[in-house]
Amino acid sequence: HIDFYNPGGLPKPLIELKSKDISMPRNPIITKLFRMVRLAENAGFGFDKMESNWIKYNGSQPEYDIELDSTIVKFQLRNVNEGVNEGVNEGVNEGVKALLELIKKQPNKRTTYFAEELSTSAKNIERWIKQLKAQGKIEFKGAPKTGGYFIK
């Protein structure tokens, strides 16, 4: 998760700030970061835009810890491994392990090479690559036609 801490309480109740108040940023660095990734606008309603854009982006509601002397907004990050059941099919897991080993030994290769080396279909390789990328273990580097997969 990401916590943003601001000293001092809110000038008005959160519900009022989210519904109708035009915000004046108190932390220009955080404001700039949110604007760069298009989670906030240059001017307008701050809390409601930030909240609705985070929900669209991440699917989770920001949490607020509001005290008289501080305000903390927590953005929960999603787990990329959520919903992946590694014990469903032993053969698939063995294939993923074999693919990972092959990428270690032969980096900068493409799907067709791996399919031929592992005697399986390109569809299986694509599925396994998707799983390994979601786990953050591999990445594709280079141009779409000439690049290949590498261990992170």
Side-chain angles (χ1 to χ4, degrees), residues 93-148:
N93 286 335
E94 292 305 314
V96 171
K97 289 176 191 174
L99 175 60
L100 192 57
E101 286 301 314
L102 188 56
I103 294 172
K104 283 180 189 174
K105 292 177 188 172
Q106 295 290 325
N108 199 30
K109 300 292 182 185
R110 302 178 57 80
T111 305
T112 51
Y113 173 82
F114 298 132
E116 188 176 297
E117 287 293 310
L118 297 174
S119 301
T120 190
S121 71
K123 285 282 187 194
N124 278 340
I125 298 297
E126 289 169 11
R127 226 180 1 257
W128 297 339
I129 284 173
K130 185 177 178 181
Q131 182 179 351
L132 290 170
K133 284 171 73 176
Q135 293 172 352
K137 294 181 180 179
I138 65 169
E139 63 185 341
F140 187 89
K141 291 183 184 176
K145 291 187 178 184
T146 59

Side-chain angles (χ1 to χ4, degrees), residues 81-100:
N81 294 322
E82 225 171 71
V84 175
N85 186 349
E86 294 185 1
V88 172
N89 186 330
E90 196 61 33
V92 170
N93 286 335
E94 292 305 314
V96 171
K97 289 176 191 174
L99 175 60
L100 192 57

Side-chain angles (χ1 to χ4, degrees), residues 6 22-32 35 41-44 46:
N6 279 300
I22 294 178
S23 66
M24 298 303 293
R26 294 190 289 167
N27 190 324
I29 295 170
I30 292 173
T31 304
K32 185 175 181 178
R35 288 178 185 155
E41 294 179 345
N42 286 334

